[in-house]
Amino acid sequence: MSYIHKTVLDSINSYKTFLEQNINNLISLNFNTANMNLFCTGEYKLFSIIVENVRMDLNYLLVLNPKYDMLGFPSIKRNLRISIEAYYDLFNLTADRSYINLLEYQSVKNATLDNTIVNTYTPFINRKKININKRPLTISEKANIAKNKNHLRLDIYDYFKDIATSSNSYIHPDIFVTDNYDRETLLKSLIICDCQLLVYAFELINNFAKQQNAPYISAINPYVEYNKLYNYIMSVYWIYL
């Protein structure tokens, strides 16, 4: 039987917990000093989606026997696809608060859009009318808004676009997905993407608090811990037989 080395998973979980604890401290700080309940914001909910997906991925890897995986770890790819979309929403929302109107329009029955919002976002989406059949924004359209309107860094855009595109095949059942891949290399790339999503989302939440002229975290640099984790992940063997 093969398995994922538990020390590796524990290190990733510790990093996730480190970021969660700092966000919880941020929530308490803002609630007590600025009377802002960050916990109830859409920004925090999007951050939570990413955190929960990482938690599910770690639990999945804890019981996984990689030897018998034949589809390229579809559970992780599905979760990554959702997390990347949540990141685009979080990025767009923190860049321009009017984006909340698009999210509400697609989710809430009888919600409407005024012409200002329509005119703002129509150039960045792939349809003639923003309200055709109330069809939700695609992940590609959200990515376009992030890159072309809100100036998402191109390296982040390209990286997530490639992973989200390759993961689209795993949203629906597909028995023709091939398994000609190196399991350890693929696993490392997927979980590193999870960790990058965590640190990028953490940075957005912290900057969101700063934008509100509310207390924010300035004493830690999450990239220092991320770089340590990345180097560790890349330096050890994951799969043991």
Side-chain angles (χ1 to χ4, degrees):
M1 177 177 178
S2 60
Y3 62 94
I4 309 299
H5 199 295
K6 190 173 183 299
T7 303
V8 176
L9 301 182
D10 287 343
S11 298
I12 298 166
N13 187 59
S14 295
Y15 179 69
K16 176 184 68 67
T17 302
F18 162 75
L19 294 180
E20 281 185 295
Q21 287 175 343
N22 277 280
I23 289 296
N24 288 336
N25 292 338
L26 181 66
I27 290 171
S28 298
L29 182 64
N30 276 281
F31 189 74
N32 293 326
T33 62
N35 200 30
M36 182 178 78
N37 192 349
L38 189 63
F39 184 81
C40 294
T41 64
E43 288 81 356
Y44 179 78
K45 292 175 183 177
L46 290 165
F47 173 79
S48 296
I49 290 172
I50 296 171
V51 170
E52 183 60 26
N53 282 338
V54 174
R55 182 180 293 112
M56 286 191 290
D57 288 346
L58 291 174
N59 289 335
Y60 167 75
L61 291 174
L62 192 61
V63 299
L64 173 71
N65 183 347
K67 181 179 179 181
Y68 296 112
D69 175 81
M70 64 180 69
L71 296 174
F73 312 110
S75 296
I76 299 179
K77 289 183 176 179
R78 283 196 300 268
N79 287 340
L80 276 175
R81 165 64 173 70
I82 294 169
S83 291
I84 289 171
E85 186 168 358
Y87 173 78
Y88 288 143
D89 283 337
L90 178 57
F91 181 86
N92 289 330
L93 191 55
T94 55
D96 187 341
R97 189 64 187 172
S98 71
Y99 186 77
I100 193 72
N101 293 280
L102 286 183
L103 299 180
E104 181 182 22
Y105 179 66
Q106 296 173 95
S107 178
V108 178
K109 187 177 181 179
N110 297 325
T112 60
L113 283 176
D114 63 40
N115 288 333
T116 301
I117 301 298
V118 173
N119 293 335
T120 297
Y121 288 95
T122 296
F124 305 102
I125 62 175
N126 302 323
R127 60 187 79 175
K128 293 181 179 179
K129 292 184 178 179
I130 202 169
N131 60 346
I132 294 178
N133 298 324
K134 302 261 299 185
R135 177 167 61 87
L137 290 176
T138 65
I139 188 172
S140 177
E141 288 172 331
K142 293 178 178 184
N144 286 339
I145 292 171
K147 182 186 70 166
N148 297 324
K149 178 183 180 297
N150 296 323
H151 310 296
L152 176 66
R153 277 171 35 196
L154 286 180
D155 59 323
I156 296 178
Y157 170 82
D158 290 335
Y159 176 62
F160 286 155
K161 179 183 178 182
D162 289 343
I163 293 178
T165 299
S166 66
S167 298
N168 271 335
S169 299
Y170 296 84
I171 298 300
H172 306 289
D174 184 358
I175 61 173
F176 297 101
V177 174
T178 59
D179 67 344
N180 55 341
Y181 56 89
D182 179 274
R183 285 168 169 75
E184 180 145 344
T185 299
L186 177 60
L187 269 178
K188 285 184 177 182
S189 68
L190 294 177
I191 206 66
I192 284 172
C193 183
D194 260 339
C195 295
Q196 287 184 311
L197 281 162
L198 278 174
V199 71
Y200 291 154
F202 172 87
E203 187 174 42
L204 288 175
I205 285 288
N206 197 33
N207 287 339
F208 168 67
K210 186 177 180 180
Q211 289 169 3
Q212 311 309 306
N213 295 318
Y216 63 97
I217 299 171
S218 58
I220 68 163
N221 181 352
Y223 289 95
V224 172
E225 297 302 320
Y226 168 78
N227 289 335
K228 291 179 184 177
L229 179 63
Y230 175 86
N231 290 332
Y232 174 67
I233 288 174
M234 299 305 294
S235 68
V236 298
Y237 291 107
W238 277 39
I239 299 176
Y240 285 74
L241 301 177

